[in-house]
Amino acid sequence: MNRYLIAPSILTADFGRLKDQIQEADTAGPLIWHLDVMDGHFVPPLSFGTEIIKTVAKATDNLIEVHAMVAHPTEHFDSFTEAGASRLIFHYEAAMEAPNLGGPGLGETVLRARETGSEVGIAINPGTRIDEIEELLPEIQQVTVMLIRPGWGGQQMNPELLDKVKQLREISTRLNLLLNIEVDGGIKPNNAKLCIDAGANILVAGSAIFNQDSTPQQNLAEMKKSSPNLE
Ligand code: DX5
Ligand code: ZN
């Protein structure tokens, strides 16, 4: 059985008191830390790198996943894992482009992520179809379906993209896979249940958890209230 969990993204957290913010959120119950690494190439912004992953790892016992929005994912797998990540999520689109940049192809990217001992996730942009990744599903532990264009927190989700979540859940049930289906982008208490009903079991939430309005604990509680399946 897949667990239903919130995965807070720290993009809009207060980095001046990051350790405290992590520990405050951790008091709200089980969760997954979703760390958005951006390289200024795969997506225009730069976010943060391994030092922040290490800071989070020191502050929490919860699982850390890295969402690598980077053009050369394989070059960073070892440093992400050494910094404390135990799930590596790379973008399908980056892996498809990598051979043109002198890097390995898609299958090899999956293998190299797995070689670190981490769980492996593939993230797909709004324009990528499920059939493009279908044959890899038995090889990986997670698919992260982007409900926004990656690169920025605080955007509105496109609910039509939840059709891809439905397709994934149908394939995963048919093939009897223990696949996590994560959704990322624009998830709030008022649409969390929509994502779960479509078949998602991990909900990334950035600005819904870290904002000026309330504490991370209160925001996590609010999100859980909206969807009874969430732990
Ligand atoms: C965007 C990131 C998301 C983002 C989510 O590229 O992948 O994880 O931080 O933030 P919200 O929940 O504010 O859309
Ligand atoms: Zn993300």
Side-chain angles (χ1 to χ4, degrees), residues 9 11 34-36 38 65 67 69 144 146 182 184-185 204:
S9 155
L11 272 190
H34 178 93
L35 305 189
D36 290 300
M38 305 182 187
E65 61 178 22
H67 176 191
M69 284 163 272
T144 298
M146 298 306 300
E182 177 174 74
D184 186 1
V204 176

Side-chain angles (χ1 to χ4, degrees), residues 74-143:
T74 52
E75 292 180 9
H76 305 284
F77 286 160
D78 286 336
S79 57
F80 291 157
T81 309
E82 282 157 21
S86 42
R87 183 181 295 149
L88 299 175
I89 306 162
F90 65 86
H91 266 266
Y92 166 81
E93 302 81 11
M96 292 302 282
E97 184 58 20
N100 299 328
L101 307 170
L106 180 60
E108 180 69 18
T109 303
V110 171
L111 284 179
R112 293 205 196 168
R114 192 190 297 151
E115 272 167 16
T116 64
S118 296
E119 292 185 21
V120 184
I122 297 183
I124 53 171
N125 279 345
T128 299
R129 300 182 316 273
I130 298 304
D131 62 83
E132 298 177 70
I133 55 163
E134 191 165 349
E135 69 179 45
L136 283 170
L137 298 179
E139 317 288 326
I140 62 177
Q141 284 70 49
Q142 178 164 310
V143 177

Side-chain angles (χ1 to χ4, degrees), residues 154-195:
Q155 304 180 68
Q156 289 227 335
M157 73 150 70
N158 175 357
E160 286 175 21
L161 295 167
L162 291 173
D163 275 351
K164 295 202 284 188
V165 172
K166 283 186 196 142
Q167 284 177 51
L168 273 172
R169 186 52 75 197
E170 191 272 317
I171 296 168
S172 151
T173 306
R174 177 158 44 83
L175 301 181
N176 216 358
L177 305 174
L178 196 63
L179 185 72
N180 286 310
I181 302 174
E182 177 174 74
V183 280
D184 186 1
I187 295 150
K188 310 276 175 207
N190 67 7
N191 58 25
K193 190 161 183 305
L194 203 65
C195 299

